Amino acid sequence: MNLTDKILALLYDRGELTSSEIADSLREDEENVELTLKGMEKEGLVFEKEKGLIFKKKVYSLTPTGLEKAKKAKEELEEKANKLVTAIQQGEDPQVIVQEYADLIPLMLAMSLIDMMMLQDLMFIDFMNF
């Protein structure tokens, strides 16, 4: 799943977010997120608007086209989360699980698709670095 799809899924789940909120949730570099968002704006997937009366901030929202793609991205992520849960429950090799899902775990946690307690079997992962 690329960064665009991750952002789409997160915006679908959470609604309007700033670039820093997106970066924090995905554990991605904010500059990289901002560049991706600008590209997504050009593709017509998101739009930027100002929010707030006193403390103004720029937030990103999905366009109708972005909403369609975001729904697909979220469904794909939900499917991967279910596979991750099954892999953990079946006692698959933690290294294989981490290699396959490490880049998606922060997003899955942010969207409450998986529970942090479920991941305790993968003790060697330092989740604070995600």
Side-chain angles (χ1 to χ4, degrees):
M1 185 173 245
N2 62 31
L3 184 54
T4 297
D5 289 338
K6 290 178 187 178
I7 292 171
L8 287 170
L10 186 64
L11 288 173
Y12 185 83
D13 186 66
R14 296 257 188 96
E16 299 173 339
L17 295 170
T18 66
S19 60
S20 63
E21 290 168 336
I22 294 168
D24 289 345
S25 294
L26 299 178
R27 306 293 191 265
E28 293 278 347
D29 177 62
E30 188 171 350
E31 188 175 316
N32 194 21
V33 168
E34 288 176 359
L35 287 172
T36 303
L37 284 165
K38 293 300 176 196
M40 291 170 71
E41 271 188 288
K42 289 179 183 174
E43 290 179 51
L45 301 175
V46 298
F47 65 95
E48 180 185 78
K49 69 178 185 178
E50 209 169 76
K51 188 175 179 179
L53 297 172
I54 298 172
F55 299 105
K56 296 189 184 297
K57 60 183 180 178
K58 292 181 180 179
V59 295
Y60 289 88
S61 296
L62 295 168
T63 64
T65 303
L67 186 62
E68 287 179 38
K69 287 191 174 198
K71 184 177 179 184
K72 290 177 187 172
K74 185 176 182 199
E75 288 170 358
E76 178 185 335
L77 188 65
E78 287 172 338
E79 186 177 306
K80 289 182 186 231
N82 290 334
K83 286 181 182 179
L84 172 61
V85 170
T86 301
I88 292 171
Q89 289 172 341
Q90 292 179 347
E92 287 188 25
D93 182 3
Q95 286 184 321
V96 172
I97 292 172
V98 170
Q99 284 178 328
E100 191 168 342
Y101 297 100
D103 67 319
L104 297 175
I105 289 174
L107 178 58
M108 290 176 181
L109 288 168
M111 293 173 60
S112 300
L113 295 176
I114 58 173
D115 186 89
M116 183 65 128
M117 296 303 291
M118 178 189 332
L119 300 174
Q120 70 185 9
D121 292 339
L122 309 175
M123 293 290 283
F124 66 92
I125 301 174
D126 180 6
F127 286 104
M128 300 317 259
N129 286 331
F130 270 118

Coordinates of all heavy atoms in Angstrom, one line a residue, residues 3 6-7 10 21-28 33 103 106-107 110 130:
L3 N 1.8 5.5 0.0 CA 1.5 6.6 0.9 C 0.1 7.2 0.5 O -0.7 7.6 1.4 CB 2.6 7.6 0.9 CG 2.4 8.8 1.9 CD1 2.2 8.3 3.3 CD2 3.7 9.7 1.9
K6 N -2.6 5.1 1.9 CA -2.7 5.2 3.3 C -3.4 6.5 3.7 O -4.2 6.5 4.6 CB -1.3 5.2 3.9 CG -0.6 3.9 3.8 CD 0.8 4.0 4.4 CE 1.6 2.7 4.2 NZ 3.0 2.9 4.7
I7 N -3.0 7.6 3.1 CA -3.6 8.9 3.4 C -5.1 8.9 3.0 O -6.0 9.4 3.8 CB -2.9 10.1 2.6 CG1 -1.5 10.3 3.1 CG2 -3.7 11.4 2.7 CD1 -0.6 11.2 2.3
L10 N -6.9 6.9 5.7 CA -7.0 7.7 7.0 C -8.0 8.8 6.9 O -8.8 9.0 7.9 CB -5.6 8.2 7.3 CG -5.4 8.9 8.7 CD1 -5.7 8.0 9.8 CD2 -4.1 9.6 8.8
E21 N -1.1 16.1 11.3 CA -1.9 15.0 11.9 C -1.8 13.7 11.1 O -1.7 12.6 11.7 CB -3.4 15.4 12.1 CG -3.6 16.5 13.1 CD -5.0 17.2 13.0 OE1 -5.6 17.1 11.9 OE2 -5.4 17.7 14.0
I22 N -1.8 13.9 9.8 CA -1.6 12.7 8.9 C -0.3 12.1 9.1 O -0.2 10.9 9.3 CB -1.9 13.1 7.5 CG1 -3.3 13.6 7.2 CG2 -1.5 12.0 6.5 CD1 -3.6 14.2 5.9
A23 N 0.8 12.9 9.1 CA 2.1 12.4 9.3 C 2.3 11.7 10.6 O 2.9 10.6 10.7 CB 3.1 13.6 9.2
D24 N 1.7 12.3 11.7 CA 1.8 11.6 13.0 C 1.1 10.3 13.0 O 1.6 9.3 13.6 CB 1.2 12.5 14.1 CG 2.1 13.8 14.4 OD1 3.3 13.8 14.0 OD2 1.6 14.7 15.0
S25 N -0.1 10.2 12.5 CA -0.8 9.0 12.5 C -0.2 7.9 11.7 O -0.2 6.7 12.0 CB -2.2 9.2 11.9 OG -3.0 10.1 12.8
L26 N 0.5 8.3 10.6 CA 1.1 7.3 9.7 C 2.6 7.0 10.1 O 3.2 6.2 9.5 CB 1.0 7.8 8.2 CG -0.4 7.9 7.7 CD1 -0.3 8.4 6.2 CD2 -1.1 6.6 7.7
R27 N 3.1 7.8 11.0 CA 4.5 7.8 11.4 C 5.4 8.0 10.2 O 6.3 7.3 9.9 CB 4.9 6.4 12.0 CG 4.0 6.0 13.2 CD 4.3 6.9 14.4 NE 3.7 6.4 15.6 CZ 2.5 6.7 16.1 NH1 1.7 7.6 15.4 NH2 2.0 6.2 17.2
E28 N 5.0 9.0 9.4 CA 5.8 9.4 8.2 C 6.3 10.8 8.3 O 5.9 11.6 9.2 CB 4.8 9.4 7.0 CG 4.3 8.1 6.6 CD 5.2 7.2 5.7 OE1 6.2 7.8 5.2 OE2 5.0 6.0 5.5
V33 N 4.7 13.7 3.4 CA 3.2 13.7 3.4 C 2.7 14.9 2.7 O 1.8 14.8 1.9 CB 2.7 13.7 4.9 CG1 1.2 14.0 4.9 CG2 3.0 12.3 5.5
D103 N 4.9 -1.6 7.8 CA 4.6 -0.3 7.3 C 3.1 0.1 7.4 O 2.7 1.2 7.4 CB 5.0 -0.1 5.8 CG 4.2 -0.9 4.9 OD1 4.0 -2.1 5.2 OD2 3.9 -0.4 3.8
P106 N 1.2 1.1 12.0 CA 0.7 2.4 12.6 C -0.6 2.8 12.1 O -1.4 3.3 12.9 CB 1.8 3.3 12.1 CG 3.0 2.4 11.9 CD 2.5 1.2 11.4
L107 N -0.9 2.7 10.8 CA -2.2 3.1 10.2 C -3.3 2.2 10.8 O -4.4 2.7 11.2 CB -2.2 3.0 8.7 CG -3.5 3.4 8.0 CD1 -3.9 4.8 8.4 CD2 -3.3 3.2 6.5
A110 N -4.0 3.4 14.2 CA -4.6 4.7 14.2 C -6.1 4.6 13.9 O -6.9 5.3 14.4 CB -3.9 5.6 13.3
F130 N 7.7 3.4 15.5 CA 6.8 3.4 14.3 C 6.4 4.8 14.1 O 6.2 5.7 14.9 CB 5.5 2.6 14.6 CG 5.7 1.1 14.1 CD1 5.6 0.1 15.0 CD2 6.0 0.9 12.8 CE1 5.7 -1.2 14.6 CE2 6.1 -0.4 12.4 CZ 6.0 -1.5 13.3

